[in-house]
Amino acid sequence: MGRPAYWQRANRGALARERRCAIPFLYELKQSLVATTGVYEPTLHVIIGLMIFLAALAAWRSPCIALLIVLAVQCLNELNDFYVKDHPPMTLVAQSIEDTGYTMALPLLIGCCLLAFGRLKAQK
C-alpha cells in the first residue's frame, strides 16, 4: 500500500531520493562495518576489493575477469554513494576516484603479476 497523495505531494524530494537510491542499505552496511570494526573506510575498500578479487579469481581463474568484476562492484558502490550522500557532485567525483584507487590497488597489482608470470611460463 502506498503513501497518501497529500504526503507524496509534500515530500516529492524525499520520494525521488528513495526511488533513485537502488541499494540504500549498502551505504548503511558500510558505515556500520566501519563503526563496529574500527577499520578506516579506505582500508575497508582495500580489504573488500581484495576479497572480491580472490573470490572471482578462484571462480573464473582469469585475472582479467576478476579485475573487471572488482571494478564493476566498485562502480556500483560509488553510484550508490553518489545517490545516498548529499554532497556537491565534484567532491563526490574526487572521492569516488580515491575510493576506486584504494579498491583496485591490490587486485591490480596481483592481477598484473599473475598475467606477467603466465606470459613468462607460456614463453618457456
Side-chain angles (χ1 to χ4, degrees), residues 26-27 30-31 34 39-50 52 70-83 85 87 89-108:
L26 187 62
Y27 182 75
K30 186 167 57 170
Q31 294 305 317
V34 168
V39 173
Y40 292 112
E41 195 172 332
T43 309
L44 191 65
H45 276 273
V46 172
I47 293 168
I48 291 176
L50 184 60
I52 292 170
V70 173
L71 185 62
V73 170
Q74 175 59 21
C75 288
L76 288 174
N77 175 44
E78 292 307 318
L79 281 173
N80 189 54
D81 284 353
F82 180 74
Y83 288 126
K85 293 179 181 178
H87 296 297
M90 287 315 292
T91 60
L92 287 174
V93 169
Q95 189 175 5
S96 294
I97 291 170
E98 180 183 357
D99 287 348
T100 303
Y102 286 132
T103 304
M104 295 298 295
L106 282 178
L108 193 60

Side-chain angles (χ1 to χ4, degrees), residues 53 62-72 104 107-109 111-112 115:
F53 176 75
S62 169
C64 293
I65 293 174
L67 283 171
L68 288 174
I69 289 172
V70 173
L71 185 62
M104 295 298 295
L108 193 60
L109 179 67
C112 288
L115 288 171

